[in-house]
Amino acid sequence: MAELTYCSNIHPGEHWADVMHNLDSHALEVKAQLNSSAPFPLGLRIAQQAALEADAQAIAEFRAWCEQHNCYLLTINGFPYGTFHNRRVKENVYLPDWRTSDRVDYSKRLGDLAVKLEPRAKRISISTVPIAFKPAFDETAEHEWEIACANVREVAEHYYQLYQQTGVFLVLSLEPEPMCVLETTDEAIGFFKRLRLPERLRQHVGLCFDCCHQAVEFEDAQECLQRLIDEEIPIGKVQVSSALKATGDEITKLLNFDEPVYLHQAVAHCPQSGRLHRFTDLSDFKNALQQGQRFDECRVHFHIPIFLEHLGECGTTQDFLRTLLPLLDKDTPLEVETYSFAAIPEHLRTDTVSASIARELLWVKALLH
């Protein structure tokens, strides 16, 4: 079975001390609930501040901790640069984007850190933003594309040099997301053609395939996976996540999930035109409904625990996971990512965070077995 972990971005904390605290207080509890003697893979969210604080002593302590607890680093989430919990994040989560040197430096730093944290690894994926937030990016301006592509190539070259020096293969994994420059499978494929990587760098840049995001886009799981395979675009990892889905009278219930921290992009199908309408956040979708627009189905970017098929108020895109996961190559790392646990309505938080994570991991194991 594929290597399976969860993303620690569900736990608050921007400092290296927070990373270690979350391992001690949550990761070990999850590992214990899985009741397995096998080595436990880790999916670490490492913010910019934590990456700066991870000096030689911190790295040595992490490696000793892993040795003591039979754990190892599988993947890094390098998407959120700064604060990710307990205050407004929304579209700021994409900053700095791939037009900036800050995003380049951060991604290089994570690569340097990865090969030190897990020097015996054969391959580590590092997920990152899908170029930029679409409303803030001029897609008609060629110079913006040139800057973004040059910056991605620079990080790929850095990862290639690290591989030559250490033998640890790093994959910068761009994560398509609704309302971003890379949103659909078509846009992802188009970007890789524009990127024009030399042969030696091609496997160092791939995609982080987030199931919630592609389900929100109304994409077919089998079809989009096959297209990426046909285009030979590497999948650095798959984030196992589930979105909100509603039809008919359930659609207005989606507005109950509007909250002030995260961006909840909505994609809705209009039965009259047959077109998909995209909304930056649930508040925009609410305005459309109030203005009389009608849709027969809507999906919302809100990471719901993956073991939930229906929430009582509306459904989920769990069926996307049921289709996709058995089709994946067994070497593709899997990372459950339900970071919005604290933001979901309280009646859906029936377990502790650690218990809910363990239940999600067990759900995946049961599906794949």
Side-chain angles (χ1 to χ4, degrees), residues 220-262:
D220 178 89
Q222 184 171 0
E223 179 183 334
C224 58
L225 176 62
Q226 189 59 53
R227 292 188 65 203
L228 296 175
I229 293 171
D230 292 343
E231 295 290 337
E232 299 182 337
I233 296 175
I235 298 178
K237 65 180 173 184
V238 167
Q239 285 187 326
V240 184
S241 53
S242 188
L244 293 168
K245 178 174 74 173
T247 59
D249 294 339
E250 290 182 341
I251 287 177
T252 57
K253 301 294 186 182
L254 293 171
L255 303 180
N256 296 335
F257 291 83
D258 192 11
E259 54 83 34
V261 177
Y262 303 112

Side-chain angles (χ1 to χ4, degrees), residues 202-351:
R202 285 182 185 169
Q203 294 300 310
H204 286 285
V205 183
L207 290 182
C208 169
F209 189 107
D210 189 301
C211 297
C212 168
H213 300 171
Q214 301 319 118
V216 167
E217 294 294 333
F218 283 75
E219 295 204 341
D220 178 89
Q222 184 171 0
E223 179 183 334
C224 58
L225 176 62
Q226 189 59 53
R227 292 188 65 203
L228 296 175
I229 293 171
D230 292 343
E231 295 290 337
E232 299 182 337
I233 296 175
I235 298 178
K237 65 180 173 184
V238 167
Q239 285 187 326
V240 184
S241 53
S242 188
L244 293 168
K245 178 174 74 173
T247 59
D249 294 339
E250 290 182 341
I251 287 177
T252 57
K253 301 294 186 182
L254 293 171
L255 303 180
N256 296 335
F257 291 83
D258 192 11
E259 54 83 34
V261 177
Y262 303 112
L263 205 61
H264 298 297
Q265 304 93 316
V267 180
H269 180 264
C270 176
Q272 285 77 27
S273 66
R275 293 177 53 240
L276 295 176
H277 294 247
R278 291 176 167 82
F279 303 91
T280 302
D281 207 348
L282 270 173
S283 55
D284 301 319
F285 181 60
K286 179 180 180 180
N287 291 337
L289 292 179
Q290 290 176 339
Q291 291 169 12
Q293 294 189 48
R294 292 294 174 260
F295 308 98
D296 59 357
E297 183 172 349
C298 181
R299 302 182 184 185
V300 176
H301 176 215
F302 197 124
H303 289 227
I304 291 295
I306 60 174
F307 49 77
L308 296 174
E309 183 177 7
H310 202 278
L311 309 178
E313 304 172 57
C314 56
T316 74
T317 59
Q318 189 193 78
D319 56 332
F320 190 97
L321 295 174
R322 291 185 179 276
T323 300
L324 182 87
L325 295 184
L327 299 176
L328 295 172
D329 188 288
K330 297 298 186 289
D331 293 330
T332 305
L334 304 178
E335 182 183 46
V336 170
E337 196 209 18
T338 310
Y339 62 81
S340 52
F341 184 84
I344 63 177
E346 193 169 348
H347 70 277
L348 295 175
R349 287 178 261 158
T350 56
D351 286 319

Side-chain angles (χ1 to χ4, degrees), residues 39-254:
F40 184 66
L42 302 172
L44 296 185
R45 185 248 161 164
I46 303 178
Q48 158 73 352
Q49 186 60 42
L52 290 171
E53 294 169 356
D55 57 15
Q57 180 179 345
I59 291 166
E61 289 173 352
F62 173 83
R63 289 168 60 176
W65 185 95
C66 286
E67 190 72 28
Q68 178 185 355
H69 298 291
N70 197 21
C71 298
Y72 65 97
L73 176 63
L74 174 65
T75 181
I76 293 175
N77 185 332
F79 193 129
Y81 183 91
T83 301
F84 192 59
H85 285 277
N86 302 326
R87 70 185 218 192
R88 187 185 188 279
V89 178
K90 298 290 183 180
E91 68 278 5
N92 293 327
V93 74
Y94 310 113
L95 298 176
D97 63 36
W98 276 102
R99 294 168 294 181
T100 67
S101 59
D102 283 344
R103 178 59 64 174
V104 173
D105 294 343
Y106 173 50
S107 301
K108 286 182 177 180
R109 186 172 294 112
L110 290 179
D112 296 339
L113 189 55
V115 300
K116 295 174 182 175
L117 292 174
E118 195 58 60
R120 297 170 296 179
K122 289 185 169 53
R123 188 172 182 270
I124 297 175
S125 62
I126 300 175
S127 52
T128 188
V129 297
I131 304 304
F133 185 45
K134 190 173 280 186
F137 188 93
D138 185 356
E139 295 181 89
T140 66
E142 192 58 35
H143 71 278
E144 294 214 355
W145 286 107
E146 289 173 358
I147 292 170
C149 287
N151 285 339
V152 169
R153 285 193 290 267
E154 182 178 338
V155 174
E157 181 65 45
H158 186 71
Y159 287 3
Y160 173 76
Q161 296 299 329
L162 285 173
Y163 175 59
Q164 297 300 305
Q165 297 162 16
T166 68
V168 180
F169 199 96
L170 301 176
V171 184
L172 181 70
S173 301
L174 298 152
E175 183 181 333
E177 180 170 318
M179 293 303 296
C180 290
V181 173
L182 303 188
E183 178 171 2
T184 64
T185 299
D186 279 343
E187 289 170 332
I189 291 172
F191 174 74
F192 276 83
K193 291 178 178 177
R194 183 188 290 269
L195 190 57
R196 297 189 300 275
L197 287 171
E199 184 65 34
R200 73 179 187 282
L201 301 183
R202 285 182 185 169
Q203 294 300 310
H204 286 285
V205 183
L207 290 182
C208 169
F209 189 107
D210 189 301
C211 297
C212 168
H213 300 171
Q214 301 319 118
V216 167
E217 294 294 333
F218 283 75
E219 295 204 341
D220 178 89
Q222 184 171 0
E223 179 183 334
C224 58
L225 176 62
Q226 189 59 53
R227 292 188 65 203
L228 296 175
I229 293 171
D230 292 343
E231 295 290 337
E232 299 182 337
I233 296 175
I235 298 178
K237 65 180 173 184
V238 167
Q239 285 187 326
V240 184
S241 53
S242 188
L244 293 168
K245 178 174 74 173
T247 59
D249 294 339
E250 290 182 341
I251 287 177
T252 57
K253 301 294 186 182
L254 293 171

Side-chain angles (χ1 to χ4, degrees), residues 26-43:
H26 294 290
L28 290 183
E29 188 175 341
V30 172
K31 181 175 182 289
Q33 292 193 43
L34 296 178
N35 195 28
S36 171
S37 60
F40 184 66
L42 302 172

